[in-house]
Amino acid sequence: MQYADDNATPCQTAEDLQRTATSYNTVYERFGMQVNTDKIKALIQHPPGQILPNINTTINEHTLEEVDQFSYIGSILTSTPTCKKDVENRIRAAHSAYGRLSCRVFNNHALTMATKIMVFQAIVLSTLLYACETWTLYRSDIQSLERFRQYKLRQILKIPWESHTTNVAVLNQASVTSVEATIIHHRLRWAGHVQRMEPFRLPKIMLYGELADGTRPRGAPKLRYKNQLKRTLALTNIDPSSWEQTARDRATWRRAVHHGITAFEEKRKENEEAKRRRRRERQEQPRPSPTLPCELCPRLFHHRLGLSTHIRHKHPPRR
């Protein structure tokens, strides 16, 4: 639970949190240390559809501040079970890392393009995907990460937006894989590492742990990590029912992950090219004549949205 001088302690109830905070303070005072109560934050995970009252945890008669999110070892912990805030924080940190290296590396004409790509992968991409093994990502989060990487790679490779170069071509020119493939590789490697741990290790307990109480809502509930792990195994052609036996042997698991990532990346590129080809075919098809007339002028429109926008801007109502 303790990293350097930082502690992250999960508790089930308000009484457990108060008891734990008092125990920490008592032990530290016994060794002549003092707890900085101004830096300690309390985060409440509300049950679905409920808002809990303030718990008012105190240390030395000082009430701890209750927050919705806080930073711990480079990650953003929030009261909502999503990684959106963490992804946004990682993108800002990667922007900062890229900016610090712009003059010395990425804009340095004395360095080769291969060296710049290696530095980008080693520093900027590592900053961007820090702790991505434990993220539960949605499609919008992956698109935000891929958008940042494409923007920076195009700057390094000097590819202007007027050239209409595809994302697949940019990745091929830089000889790198997509952000999604990189995240999948980190996630599977971490899952295999946890599977080989002893049963009493905390990461393995958390991976296989389940809540004793509570039910998931109907419809489209929040995505869980184990749902994403099963989906990742299916995308990489690894049997979800037997992956634990495969992961017990490190060499076998690494080969399975490597072959799965390669197959996933090839299929992703084929899907991107097919999507781009279908879009080009739709654009090349002759467009039908507009049939929706404007009642206030002779213009015709294809869709009602264009007609309503035209009326709102060109023929606003008089006041």
Side-chain angles (χ1 to χ4, degrees), residues 9-20 43-47 52 55 206 210-213:
T9 305
C11 299
Q12 298 294 330
T13 62
E15 293 76 12
D16 292 341
L17 180 59
Q18 180 62 64
R19 189 183 307 110
T20 303
L43 186 145
I44 303 177
Q45 184 74 42
H46 300 283
L52 299 178
I55 56 178
M206 295 297 296
E210 295 183 359
L211 294 178
D213 301 322

Side-chain angles (χ1 to χ4, degrees), residues 2 24-35:
Q2 180 166 325
Y24 272 122
N25 184 57
T26 302
V27 172
Y28 289 150
E29 288 181 348
R30 188 178 303 168
F31 287 91
M33 295 184 292
Q34 184 178 1
V35 176

Side-chain angles (χ1 to χ4, degrees), residues 220-268:
K222 296 295 184 181
L223 187 65
R224 297 175 296 181
Y225 184 82
K226 70 175 185 179
N227 299 126
Q228 189 165 70
L229 182 58
K230 292 180 181 179
R231 187 180 304 174
T232 301
L233 294 171
L235 290 174
T236 52
N237 300 325
I238 300 176
D239 188 6
S241 61
S242 61
W243 77 273
E244 295 162 324
Q245 289 77 13
T246 306
R248 290 174 183 173
D249 183 71
R250 184 177 181 183
T252 305
W253 180 248
R254 292 185 65 172
R255 284 195 300 268
V257 170
H258 175 73
H259 294 320
I261 293 296
T262 303
F264 168 79
E265 189 66 9
E266 292 177 355
K267 186 176 181 180
R268 190 195 64 83

Side-chain angles (χ1 to χ4, degrees), residues 59-93:
I59 295 180
N60 293 333
E61 299 181 356
H62 178 86
T63 303
L64 303 183
E65 180 184 0
E66 297 182 9
V67 296
D68 295 329
Q69 66 180 41
F70 66 90
S71 177
Y72 180 71
I73 320 179
S75 298
I76 302 297
L77 305 181
T78 64
S79 57
T80 57
T82 61
C83 296
K84 186 175 182 60
K85 293 293 183 180
D86 208 3
V87 170
E88 295 174 353
N89 180 58
R90 289 291 95 205
I91 292 177
R92 287 193 295 267

